[in-house]
């Protein structure tokens, strides 16, 4: 159901003064609407039922989800419609977004259609969908966190978790699974996406800044180990400051 339909229904049931107040805060307005009609009656109820086949088989809590295997609150731009305060989980093995929708006393877990999810937020993390950009005969796609964004470039992070088999401890021959993180940084500049796997990749993009890049890595070794995201953010903030305009090779 589109925004115009929502506006019509609200005008029929709410005084003008209240409507004016709600309009000032769009997310509160649409939250109210979804509570009235129920999210299961909106366009968000458009996916396939999710069944967790790994129940009781996760080794030492090393699950496949982003942040936590519990649902967390976020927002989604889905099929050109924004939804706020949605209970969701992001599966890093399959790169799919799951949502929990309540219909009465029943809660359904749905796997959203990936191609309809343009962007979403989980807590303070913002993600966008990238489709079909080729680099070195491989394709860059899927959801990426936005670490930095300005008029010149976007610094992104691709999260992934890889499934591994584990056998239980002594006396337990049950097969378990653990999911190991494999994350990559991606730079979008001059209309191109480029993966960043090492310092050498950054230097190839900015060969004239080789000395400054090397010095930054030496001075910020501790930060790189403790908080790699902040390290990359500061690295590119420094590059931007020293290179105007930014040009990726």
């Amino acid at each position: 159901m589109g925004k115009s339909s929502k506006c019509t229904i609200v005008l029929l049931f709410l005084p003008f003064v209240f409507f004016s107040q709600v309009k000032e805060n769009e997310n509160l307005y649409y939250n109210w609407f979804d509570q009235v009609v129920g999210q299961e009656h909106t366009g968000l109820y458009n996916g396939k039922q999710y069944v967790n086949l790994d129940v009781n088989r996760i080794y030492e809590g090393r699950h496949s989800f982003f942040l936590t295997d519990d649902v967390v609150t976020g927002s989604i731009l889905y099929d050109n419609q924004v939804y706020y305060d949605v209970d969701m989980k992001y599966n890093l093995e399959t790169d799919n977004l799951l949502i929990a929708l309540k219909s009465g006393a029943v809660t359904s877990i749905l796997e959203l259609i990936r191609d309809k999810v343009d962007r979403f937020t989980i807590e303070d993390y913002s993600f966008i969908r990238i489709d079909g950009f080729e680099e070195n005969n491989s394709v860059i796609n899927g959801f990426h966190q936005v670490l930095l964004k300005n008029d010149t470039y976007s610094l992104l992070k691709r999260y992934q978790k890889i499934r591994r088999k584990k056998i239980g401890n002594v006396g337990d021959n049950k097969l378990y699974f653990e999911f190991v993180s494999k994350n990559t940084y991606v730079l979008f500049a001059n209309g191109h996406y480029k993966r960043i796997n090492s310092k050498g990749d950054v230097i190839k993009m900015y060969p004239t800044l080789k000395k400054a890049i090397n010095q930054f890595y030496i001075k910020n070794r501790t930060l790189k180990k403790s908080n790699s995201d902040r390290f990359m953010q500061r690295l590119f903030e420094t590059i931007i400051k020293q290179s105007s305009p930014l040009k990726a090779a």
Side-chain angles (χ1 to χ4, degrees):
M1 186 177 295
K3 291 186 179 180
S4 60
S5 298
K6 290 185 176 183
C7 289
T8 302
I9 296 173
V10 172
L11 283 171
L12 288 173
F13 289 95
L14 293 178
F16 175 79
V17 174
F18 180 67
F19 175 72
S20 298
Q21 293 173 344
V22 176
K23 191 174 181 181
E24 294 176 1
N25 195 333
E26 188 183 54
N27 63 330
L28 291 178
Y29 158 47
Y30 286 115
N31 286 345
W32 174 88
F33 179 88
D34 289 338
Q35 288 172 8
V36 172
V37 303
Q39 284 185 336
E40 69 273 14
H41 297 301
T42 70
L44 192 58
Y45 202 86
N46 184 359
K48 65 179 182 179
Q49 191 76 25
Y50 172 78
V51 178
N52 186 358
L53 300 178
D54 297 324
V55 174
N56 300 323
R57 299 182 68 186
I58 301 302
Y59 185 76
E60 295 185 351
R62 299 170 190 170
H63 55 79
S64 62
F65 295 95
F66 179 69
L67 297 182
T68 174
D69 60 350
D70 295 324
V71 294
V72 292
T73 301
S75 61
I76 310 171
L77 176 58
Y78 187 68
D79 201 15
N80 298 316
Q81 173 67 58
V82 180
Y83 300 90
Y84 298 95
D85 292 340
V86 178
D87 290 334
M88 64 177 71
K89 301 169 68 172
Y90 175 27
N91 191 322
L92 298 180
E93 181 193 24
T94 63
D95 196 36
N96 284 314
L97 195 62
L98 311 178
I99 62 169
L101 293 180
K102 294 183 178 180
S103 178
V106 179
T107 298
S108 297
I109 303 297
L110 296 183
E111 181 180 291
L112 294 180
I113 301 170
R114 187 188 298 118
D115 291 346
K116 291 189 176 184
V117 181
D118 291 314
R119 61 181 66 242
F120 65 92
T121 61
I122 293 180
E123 295 187 352
D124 294 328
Y125 300 86
S126 297
F127 292 84
I128 60 173
R129 193 187 79 240
I130 295 174
D131 289 326
F133 289 91
E134 292 190 12
E135 179 194 56
N136 299 329
N137 296 321
S138 62
V139 177
I140 295 177
N141 54 27
F143 297 120
H144 290 67
Q145 181 194 356
V146 181
L147 294 177
L148 281 175
K149 181 177 176 60
N150 56 37
D151 294 337
T152 310
Y153 75 93
S154 294
L155 179 62
L156 311 171
K157 183 177 182 179
R158 165 72 160 154
Y159 291 87
Q160 288 180 292
K161 284 190 177 181
I162 308 301
R163 179 187 295 259
R164 291 181 180 175
K165 295 180 180 180
K166 296 286 290 187
I167 300 297
N169 298 323
V170 178
D172 181 5
N173 294 322
K174 184 178 178 180
L175 176 65
Y176 293 89
F177 300 103
E178 66 174 353
F179 294 86
V180 181
S181 295
K182 182 183 178 181
N183 305 324
T184 306
Y185 295 100
V186 176
L187 179 70
F188 177 74
N190 296 337
H192 299 284
Y193 289 90
K194 292 183 178 293
R195 287 186 179 89
I196 303 172
N197 295 312
S198 66
K199 179 178 67 174
D201 292 334
V202 181
I203 292 175
K204 287 180 181 178
M205 296 175 189
Y206 309 97
T208 60
L209 296 172
K210 180 178 180 179
K211 182 177 180 180
I213 293 169
N214 281 326
Q215 290 177 343
F216 184 90
Y217 270 78
I218 292 172
K219 292 180 180 179
N220 294 275
R221 288 174 178 170
T222 302
L223 179 61
K224 188 175 185 297
K225 291 181 179 180
S226 64
N227 191 335
S228 60
D229 290 354
R230 187 63 189 130
F231 173 88
M232 293 299 293
Q233 288 170 329
R234 288 184 179 177
L235 172 61
F236 277 89
E237 288 168 348
T238 302
I239 288 175
I240 282 294
K241 186 176 180 179
Q242 296 185 20
S243 178
S244 181
L246 171 69
K247 292 184 178 179

